[in-house]
Amino acid sequence: MKKLALHWQILLGMALGVVFALIMTNFSWGADFIEDWIKPFGTIFINALKLIAVPLILASLIKGVSELKDISQLSKMGFRTIGTYIFTTIIAVSIGLVVVNLVKPGSTITEETRAELVESYGGDAELKRQDAEKQKEAGPLQALVDIVPSNIVGAAGSNANMLQVIFFAIFFGIGLILIPEEQAEPVKKFFDGFNEVILKMIDIIMLTAPFGVFALLAALVVEAPSADLFAALGMYALCVIGGLLLMIGIYTLLVWVFTKKTPAFFINGISPAQLLAFSTSSSAATLPVTMERVEEHLGVEKEVSSFVLPIGATINMDGTSLYQAVAAVFIAQAFGMDLDFGTQLGIIATATLASIGSAAVPGAGMVMLVIVLAQAGIPEAGLALIFAIDRPLDMCRTTVNVTGDASVSMLVAKSVGKLREVPLVKNWNDNYKK
């Protein structure tokens, strides 16, 4: 088992969970056995993902903001970079919402299956309705008031207050930039180390993913054994992939319009980084190749690429944000919840801000999805519906993340006059002397 890549382990766990549950349903005691002895391990796995959400936001976001060095870097190149990243993320989330609302993959689940799901996963839907009533009574600027916490410890104590944690992390990072370097350095080193520990904890959690998936899928099959649920999963996956393909098309269009570089030039230049991103599911691991391709094959000068791409690996997660939007609405549809326009606008805001703190490692997107679900009042236990096919989709959305980093670097380079007309391609043996 250890010799298999993680995504194959997860897919194997998924298949074994389904097969095990189907076998157990032939016995009168099988469903109770899975409910009492198998499902709790899936619950533990979901709780572990929720446990790491707040530390992940604090560590990666404070680290990313503080690496801007000084406020002046947030001026010309900085504002253009971050503004473009946020703009493309909003487009990505919006595309995800449009696609999932048009296709409605979760609505294909029958009322009977939906009722079983709601009964199995508790009273979260009722809590959502109560929150909606409270929202109606709030003033028009209450959303802005809610972003600023009165107590960061209290905000960090609930996954439903992630916007407040994100606000604090950004504010803290700006404070680090503004104080003297000798005073900020120990704090930066602490958060560098803290971030590495959190990433390692994610690695450990993901090692248990095959077993978590086994438990989640086994419980899912027993609790909702109808075929319509699995058909809905296929439609959900198609929605995500379709949205991601649309996003790549938008990247190439933006590059074509603003830099006059053809789509073929852009795709040929970045394709090796895309393939590496697809195979590793990590934009951080792909970063060295992305920088090499952007500088040598797309013509972006190093001054721009060395600033834009590392920041992008931290705050630009367009593929992940699109997936979160589709997944959130799909889960809501599966539970028979009707998300109003205001709630879906909240998903856009939350997914955009949460993507800033999303680590560039495999599995982090699922952690960020917990934040989006909690903020929208969607049952977090609905993760059981989609986790089985998360890894293949993670490979696809990471490819989009890296493509977005490369396209934004070209746009920023063009705007500051740092995009070469003819790229300077280097060969591996350029420095070899006969």
Side-chain angles (χ1 to χ4, degrees):
M1 187 75 170
K2 292 181 179 179
K3 294 181 179 180
L4 290 175
L6 180 60
H7 62 280
W8 290 116
Q9 294 181 34
I10 291 176
L11 290 172
L12 182 60
M14 172 194 69
L16 291 177
V18 172
V19 172
F20 178 76
L22 291 175
I23 293 174
M24 295 300 290
T25 54
N26 293 318
F27 301 96
S28 59
W29 49 269
D32 291 335
F33 177 83
I34 290 178
E35 183 74 22
D36 295 336
W37 296 97
I38 302 297
K39 183 180 177 180
F41 292 100
T43 303
I44 291 171
F45 179 70
I46 291 178
N47 288 343
L49 288 172
K50 294 165 66 176
L51 170 69
I52 209 70
V54 170
L56 179 64
I57 285 282
L58 288 172
S60 62
L61 190 50
I62 289 175
K63 182 177 183 293
V65 173
S66 65
E67 283 179 350
L68 294 176
K69 302 299 182 183
D70 58 69
I71 293 296
S72 64
Q73 285 188 287
L74 287 173
S75 56
K76 190 175 183 180
M77 190 187 303
F79 278 123
R80 293 182 186 185
T81 299
I82 296 174
T84 307
Y85 278 143
I86 293 175
F87 173 70
T88 58
T89 301
I90 292 173
I91 291 178
V93 179
S94 301
I95 287 176
L97 289 176
V98 169
V99 171
V100 75
N101 278 290
L102 288 176
V103 179
K104 299 183 183 301
S107 63
T108 60
I109 299 175
T110 63
E111 288 292 335
E112 180 182 359
T113 301
R114 188 176 296 151
E116 291 176 3
L117 287 172
V118 173
E119 181 180 356
S120 299
Y121 294 127
D124 293 295
E126 179 60 30
L127 292 176
K128 200 278 181 184
R129 286 192 290 270
Q130 294 175 4
D131 290 339
E133 290 299 323
K134 293 179 182 178
Q135 188 65 34
K136 291 179 181 178
E137 300 172 359
L141 297 181
Q142 187 61 40
L144 290 178
V145 174
D146 291 340
I147 290 177
V148 183
S150 60
N151 186 325
I152 184 56
V153 176
S158 172
N159 283 347
N161 294 325
M162 282 301 177
L163 285 177
Q164 296 182 351
V165 176
I166 291 171
F167 173 85
F168 175 81
I170 293 175
F171 201 10
F172 192 96
I174 292 174
L176 273 179
I177 295 174
L178 293 175
I179 65 175
E181 181 65 28
E182 62 273 12
Q183 295 177 353
E185 191 61 29
V187 183
K188 290 181 180 180
K189 287 183 177 179
F190 167 78
F191 278 105
D192 283 345
F194 186 49
N195 188 60
E196 291 302 317
V197 172
I198 296 301
L199 296 183
K200 185 57 61 178
M201 291 176 69
I202 293 176
D203 289 341
I204 295 172
I205 293 174
M206 293 308 295
L207 289 176
T208 68
F211 306 100
V213 167
F214 176 92
L216 290 170
L217 262 291
L220 185 62
V221 170
V222 169
E223 294 169 353
S226 57
D228 60 318
L229 179 60
F230 296 98
L233 275 179
M235 292 299 296
Y236 155 74
L238 289 177
C239 285
V240 174
I241 294 172
L244 294 176
L245 290 174
L246 281 175
M247 200 62 208
I248 291 180
I250 288 177
Y251 290 142
T252 56
L253 180 62
L254 289 173
V255 169
W256 193 10
V257 170
F258 290 101
T259 71
K260 309 303 179 184
K261 303 294 184 181
T262 65
F265 171 85
F266 175 66
I267 296 298
N268 289 337
I270 198 60
S271 56
Q274 290 176 319
L275 292 173
L276 184 60
F278 183 81
S279 61
T280 64
S281 293
S282 172
S283 51
T286 312
L287 184 59
V289 176
T290 306
M291 294 184 71
E292 185 268 337
R293 300 300 298 186
V294 165
E295 291 171 15
E296 298 184 18
H297 297 266
L298 296 181
V300 177
E301 294 188 14
K302 189 174 183 62
E303 178 184 343
V304 175
S305 65
S306 62
F307 174 84
V308 175
L309 294 177
I311 295 298
T314 302
I315 71 173
N316 184 49
M317 299 287 171
D318 292 349
T320 303
S321 300
L322 186 150
Y323 139 83
Q324 289 167 354
V326 175
V329 177
F330 169 75
I331 292 172
Q333 291 171 352
F335 280 95
M337 300 168 63
D338 185 19
L339 300 182
D340 57 28
F341 182 71
T343 302
Q344 297 205 32
L345 285 180
I347 290 176
I348 293 177
T350 308
T352 300
L353 293 175
S355 70
I356 296 175
S358 182
V361 295
M366 183 63 72
V367 181
M368 293 300 114
L369 179 57
V370 174
I371 300 170
V372 176
L373 293 178
Q375 195 72 28
I378 301 169
E380 295 161 343
L383 287 172
L385 300 175
I386 63 170
F387 196 87
I389 57 173
D390 178 69
R391 178 64 181 189
L393 295 180
D394 192 9
M395 300 164 73
C396 297
R397 62 182 184 253
T398 303
T399 304
V400 172
N401 292 342
V402 169
T403 306
D405 293 345
S407 64
V408 171
S409 69
M410 291 187 70
L411 297 177
V412 173
K414 182 66 174 180
S415 70
V416 296
K418 299 290 184 178
L419 183 65
R420 299 187 187 95
E421 288 298 323
V422 180
L424 299 176
V425 181
K426 299 178 183 177
N427 295 314
W428 68 273
N429 60 348
D430 281 348
N431 295 326
Y432 176 72
K433 295 181 180 180
K434 295 182 179 180

